[in-house]
Amino acid sequence: MDFRTLPDFKGHKLLTMINDEQTGLHGFVAIHNDILGPALGGTRMYLYPNDLAAITDALRLSRGMTYKAALAGLKLGGGKAVLVGDPKKNKTEAYLRVYGQYLNYFNGAFFTGEDVGITVADIEVIAKETLFVNGRSEGLHGDVKGSGDPSPVTSLGVLYGIRACLETIFGNDTISDRSVAIQGLGKVGFCLANLLYEQGARLIIADTDNRLVERALAKFQGAQVVEPHIIHCQKVDVYSPCALGAVLNDATIPELQCRIVAGAANNQLATPTHGDTLFTRGILYAPDYAINAGGLINIAGERELNGYERERTLRKVACIYDTLKNIFERSACEQVPTHSVADKMVEEILTNAEKLKNN
Ligand code: NAD
């Protein structure tokens, strides 16, 4: 198969397969763009049904990382690694260490960190073999100060994003008494629920994992639980997808009863045309890579010359509010859907960087 014919390959610089028979390591690294700096993107481990599904995910996610980094003002490119396997069964120490050795082949063109199926603890194992990891556990690792689990910072960024959406739709960004339907109570969703709860939001929650629902119910008094397959169609101010991608699709969009879609999940739109449909329906969509950049900003903080500083990171995360307000204003002014405005803003940044490089 000629991978260049895959629609998601467009614009990519590199797609590499990694394979180790002894440990069963098998996966792909995609680098989308490195005009702003070395590619940074997490490693996802998932039991993909086949290589094509894994490659497609890597390509879509690495492109998303280029866009996320550029819009967040980071000097980083976009890349992503996907490992084909069951994290609960196949992820041994030897497996992770061999993966670390593979990262050395990229010699600093690709840095990775945690993602679905890979934890910060796994990154520490990988780091035994390579320097090309970011998102280390908190504390000192030689000269590197670890930024820790990015998820709470991602949640904080999503909270800023939700406030920007509320301000745009209702004229004030108060969370108190606003209703929010949260899809997924994992690392980001639970933390976001906590931030919203502390500020007086009315929560409707769902997760396919009952233990996580129980944990949330014990903490968030008055939260309403619904079955996962109907969380998107609740009558709420905000629907916040914090689980899977492609949740905004032909089946779900006609059923939405919210004013705003603002959540952490990557690649929420099944296709760009679904962003157009949301716009036509008058539902304000916070482009995923704009609102969920907090974790990347946190990880990138490790790469600053004087090391990771929490306060500086949190100041940058707060800018997600203004970034989204800019997108929404431009969208209203030009009558263009928000996802297209965000894409256009990134493409302007990349084109300018390209011009500077060529001068
Ligand atoms: P996670 O795996 O900890 O949580 C996801 C949760 O969604 C799990 O609890 C899972 O049971 C639940 N879930 C799966 N299918 C569901 C369904 N159909 N309905 C309801 N719940 C369902 O992952 P996370 O780190 O919290 O990330 C959530 C999303 O945000 C992912 O798409 C991830 O790519 C994206 N994201 C995460 C970060 C981060 O810092 N962790 C940063 C940017 C983007």
Side-chain angles (χ1 to χ4, degrees):
M1 170 172 193
D2 183 348
F3 290 111
R4 291 169 301 179
T5 60
L6 290 175
D8 292 307
F9 189 77
K10 193 167 172 276
H12 275 78
K13 290 199 78 163
L14 178 143
L15 175 66
T16 309
M17 184 177 84
I18 54 181
N19 203 61
D20 180 67
E21 280 181 19
Q22 217 159 9
T23 57
L25 175 73
H26 178 64
F28 301 89
V29 175
I31 296 181
H32 176 256
N33 189 297
D34 61 356
I35 187 76
L36 295 173
L40 174 64
T43 297
R44 176 167 293 192
M45 185 171 182
Y46 185 72
L47 199 51
Y48 292 96
N50 52 52
D51 279 5
L52 188 56
I55 289 169
T56 303
D57 210 25
L59 293 172
R60 291 195 78 190
L61 289 165
S62 65
R63 179 179 183 274
M65 293 306 294
T66 298
Y67 280 62
K68 193 183 299 195
L71 199 61
L74 301 171
K75 296 284 169 242
L76 288 169
K80 199 84 181 184
V82 297
L83 303 178
V84 184
D86 182 346
K88 290 200 177 97
K89 288 191 188 143
N90 311 126
K91 201 172 59 176
T92 59
E93 161 128 9
Y95 177 103
L96 292 169
R97 291 185 74 147
V98 169
Y99 176 53
Q101 291 161 16
Y102 268 92
L103 292 171
N104 291 329
Y105 282 113
F106 297 96
N107 199 25
F110 175 63
F111 285 76
T112 199
E114 61 95 52
D115 196 75
V116 176
I118 296 286
T119 64
V120 174
D122 297 331
I123 292 301
E124 288 310 319
V125 179
I126 296 168
K128 289 180 184 171
E129 302 289 342
T130 183
L131 291 172
F132 304 124
V133 281
N134 288 127
R136 305 289 303 269
S137 59
E138 272 180 65
L140 271 181
H141 309 274
D143 292 343
V144 179
K145 187 172 174 205
S147 57
D149 180 2
S151 312
V153 188
T154 302
S155 311
L156 182 65
V158 174
L159 182 74
Y160 281 117
I162 289 176
R163 285 184 37 215
C165 294
L166 293 173
E167 211 280 328
T168 301
I169 293 289
F170 300 110
N172 76 72
D173 62 10
T174 315
I175 298 283
S176 174
D177 239 19
R178 289 288 171 208
S179 50
V180 185
I182 304 179
Q183 180 176 40
L185 299 164
K187 296 195 288 288
V188 178
F190 184 82
C191 210
L192 174 66
N194 196 34
L195 293 169
L196 291 164
Y197 179 74
E198 281 172 352
Q199 297 194 21
R202 287 180 286 125
L203 300 181
I204 302 183
I205 53 178
D207 198 294
T208 44
D209 185 336
N210 277 336
R211 286 167 311 171
L212 297 182
V213 174
E214 293 302 326
R215 176 180 71 155
L217 269 182
K219 182 126 200 231
F220 311 130
Q221 266 180 15
Q224 186 192 338
V225 179
V226 298
E227 289 297 320
H229 69 281
I230 54 166
I231 187 72
H232 65 278
C233 44
Q234 301 303 306
K235 199 166 181 359
V236 283
D237 297 315
V238 183
Y239 161 45
S240 187
C242 294
L244 313 165
V247 289
L248 302 167
N249 54 46
D250 287 343
T252 58
I253 292 178
E255 297 177 340
L256 296 180
Q257 296 193 72
C258 54
R259 300 291 307 276
I260 293 163
V261 178
N266 283 311
N267 297 330
Q268 291 170 35
L269 298 170
T271 69
T273 55
H274 292 101
D276 302 342
T277 317
L278 287 172
F279 185 68
T280 311
R281 277 208 56 193
I283 296 171
L284 185 67
Y285 168 63
D288 44 18
Y289 61 77
I291 191 171
N292 72 14
L296 178 63
I297 295 169
N298 193 53
I299 290 171
E302 278 180 15
R303 305 172 57 80
E304 298 279 347
L305 273 183
N306 48 356
Y308 179 74
E309 275 177 29
R310 192 75 168 181
E311 288 309 311
R312 180 181 54 208
T313 291
L314 296 184
R315 278 197 303 277
K316 282 192 183 175
V317 172
C319 296
I320 289 175
Y321 186 100
D322 288 333
T323 303
L324 281 169
K325 286 290 292 174
N326 281 341
I327 293 171
F328 299 152
E329 275 158 26
R330 204 163 146 180
S331 163
C333 188
E334 296 172 12
Q335 279 302 295
V336 171
T338 54
H339 71 290
S340 303
V341 171
D343 282 359
K344 219 166 142 190
M345 284 165 69
V346 169
E347 277 142 26
E348 285 162 9
I349 294 168
L350 298 179
T351 307
N352 286 338
E354 195 83 50
K355 274 187 201 151
L356 271 176
K357 189 184 165 195
N358 294 334
N359 276 342

